[in-house]
Amino acid sequence: MGQTITEQILADHLVEGDLETGEEIGIDVDQVLTQDTTGTMVWLQFEALEMDEVQTELAAQYCDHQTYQFDFKNTDDHRFLRSAAGTYGAYYSRPGNGICHQVHKENFAAPGKTLLGSDSHTPTPGGLGQLAIGAGGLDIAVAMGGGAYYVEMPEVVNVHLTGELPEWATAKDVILKLLQDLTVKGGVDKVLEYTGPGVDSLSIPERTTITNMGTELGATSSIFPTDERTEEWLEQFGRGDEHVELTPDDDAEYADRIELDLSELEPLISKPSMPDNVVPVSEVAGEEVSQVIVGSCTNGAYEDILPAAKMLEDEDVNPTTEMVVAPGSKQASEMLAREGWTAEMMAAGVNFSEATCGACIGIGHVPASDSVSLRTFNRNFEGRSGIEDDSVFLCSPEVAAAAAITGEITDPRELDLEAPGFEMGDGYSDGYGADDPDIITPDDPVDDELIKGPNIGDVPLKDPLGSDVSGETLLKMGDNITTDHITPANAEALKFRSNIPEYANFTLTRIDSSFPDRARAADSGVLVAGENYGQGSSREHAALCPMFLGVEAVLAQSFARIHHANLFNFGLVPLEIDAETYERIDQGDDVEIVDDVGAGVRAGKEEFTIRVNNDWEATGEMSASEREREILAAGGKLQWTKQQHAGGGSDAAPADD
Ligand code: MIC
Ligand code: SF4
């Protein structure tokens, strides 16, 4: 039987298991990426694992999330990251050089290679045929040490594209349409593989907008075949020799097929406060808009910003509205400037941000209270913009620019403007990519030892899993709880990403401000949640901080993929419960997982009895591979990996092997 592109790449990298859907496989990782707010833990873990050199072909450390450095703690984190990159052999991208996904795509992403990143939007370079997966920081640290990455073999689903995008419809509308149809859970444990005649019509930046936001479907990854467009694009960056042909075999079999006729798309918009809350723009037209932001890792390429710039050529930003452009990379900023578009946009009333995540996680450009913000970003989870009662819509740069011009949500087809279309930049060959002074190479590092400021702490460890797992239900939550709810990423909280005792004080406070105090007082406890618990980001802090506060287990109707893995990595027991059990358990109830839990986990037990208030019982299911069980039993992946080294295991090869 023939193979899909995903299967071809996985087969090339397979070190353990078989490519059977649902089975755990181990793959070799070619490249890793990490960023400032997950990277500090990655390197602290790398240090704790006693590694002394990066073992992957390439590792890249970006500083992109908190580049305004509001606090010396952020700047200390950046200095630490530069020192870690220099000490262990990674590329280092300076603060302000751009968002990891955009800069990685420009500089390092390569078709046919595997990439593992401690950021959930790592799948972005799937648009040029790289199999890229987001994971928790500890998985990155282990992979950097030469260990395999273990993941459940996903279902490979074919998204078959036909037709061409009509005027004013964009790549963003492709992914918004999929979100509308499949929801934020629709891609869990799946790779979406795009094929069909419609692929040809999409440029690389358009493809990467789609693969970037596949994350919002919960997908493990998203990938496109490669073609002349991929090759040309790599050539523009002086990397044409990295091109490889990737197409599915003629007789490749997919688990499912989704048909999407591009010619039927129209401008779409995601309403507050979930990315799958998608409607045609015309349905919400007329709503007043106070703020418009174009950019981010989804739509921050030069080519993404250009249509908005063209639309503003003879127009001004409406006096009632503020418009900000936040480019995805410094290279995009530089190209806009060199081509004269920055000046044009500034003259039209646009304000420019440095190339940073910033506003996407509420760092800068926080919307006014009771106001609408229209963004070309990928997430609009409630409160993520920095204000709790926010009203954030997600859309294409064209729809964003239309709103900036009129001051209200506007279907751009209603404007008396020529459709800007999508045009590739031709400025790259002028040297924007090569010899970038903002990327420090491992061959020429600035530092050769770790520099830790006073805020940089240690990695907390948990004891091996014992027999008793019990405690009070500290919090009962609903469906689709995001990692932004669990451990927020706003300016106040982000300065503590490398200081867990302090960061833990923010745990779940967006749902219940008394949570950290109650958890500390209770000594041990459990969390209860509905469907898709832990969706959104890859941040392992969403497992680490509850663990630090004494949470022992999470009972949820279902889990998001990365968070589920992070719970094992930090020794928390994740159990799936049914709707009836969920309904019956109340906050404050005493929960006990019956019998010797540690022994049960080690023995491969799948169903655990949960006793509530010593009164009634239900079943919780553990879905885990043997390796995950061992990790959980050891108290977490760091301890387990160290044991493996001591015992000569192979999960992470010590650097001096
Ligand atoms: C996000 O978009 O939520 C983030 C901030 O990029 C996170 C990473 C983090 O929490 O540092 C992600 O997507 O993984
Ligand atoms: Fe940064 Fe936002 Fe992209 Fe996350 S989603 S990497 S915060 S721009």
Side-chain angles (χ1 to χ4, degrees), residues 35-39 65 100-101 117-122 135 215-216 297 357 360-361 378-379 381 384 483-484 487 489 494 497 503 536-541 562:
Q35 39 91 337
D36 49 355
T37 55
T38 52
H65 280 64
C100 53
H101 311 301
S118 63
D119 192 283
S120 63
H121 292 100
T122 300
T215 297
E216 276 45 69
C297 64
C357 294
C360 183
I361 39 174
N378 49 37
R379 290 186 171 146
F381 302 145
R384 182 174 159 100
T483 53
D484 282 333
T487 41
L494 266 195
R497 279 283 177 98
Y503 195 34
S537 112
S538 68
R539 69 190 72 138
E540 59 194 355
H541 300 77
I562 306 180

Side-chain angles (χ1 to χ4, degrees), residues 184-197:
V184 290
K185 293 191 302 182
V188 176
D189 294 330
K190 294 179 181 155
V191 171
L192 300 190
E193 195 167 303
Y194 293 81
T195 67

